[in-house]
Amino acid sequence: MQATAYTFDSQTRTGSVLLDDGTPVPFDAAAFDAGGLRLLRPGQRVRIETTGRGEERRVTFVTLQTF
């Protein structure tokens, strides 16, 4: 699935992405680390994997779309 990076805290390696319908979905440090990234800037197009539905949806993997 594709999304757009929305927020990112480089100290905690956590943040959120926006799905194409505008829904924000958070990610934790484990999801960020799984993608092998060192930095993420808001507005970057990313590839994600998620788990859960609705309010319980969480990103489990985030990397750049080109990886």
Side-chain angles (χ1 to χ4, degrees), residues 4-64:
T4 302
Y6 184 52
T7 64
F8 179 68
D9 181 328
S10 61
Q11 300 244 328
T12 62
R13 298 180 330 278
T14 62
S16 63
V17 298
L18 290 178
L19 302 180
D20 289 342
D21 67 1
T23 304
V25 182
F27 63 85
D28 59 16
F32 181 77
D33 292 343
L37 299 176
R38 296 188 303 170
L39 182 64
L40 190 60
R41 290 186 303 260
Q44 285 182 302
R45 217 38 196 160
V46 293
R47 183 171 56 89
I48 61 169
E49 294 176 11
T50 63
T51 186
R53 294 180 174 265
E55 295 293 320
E56 299 301 315
R57 181 180 276 180
R58 297 289 179 261
V59 174
T60 58
F61 177 87
V62 59
T63 193
L64 293 180

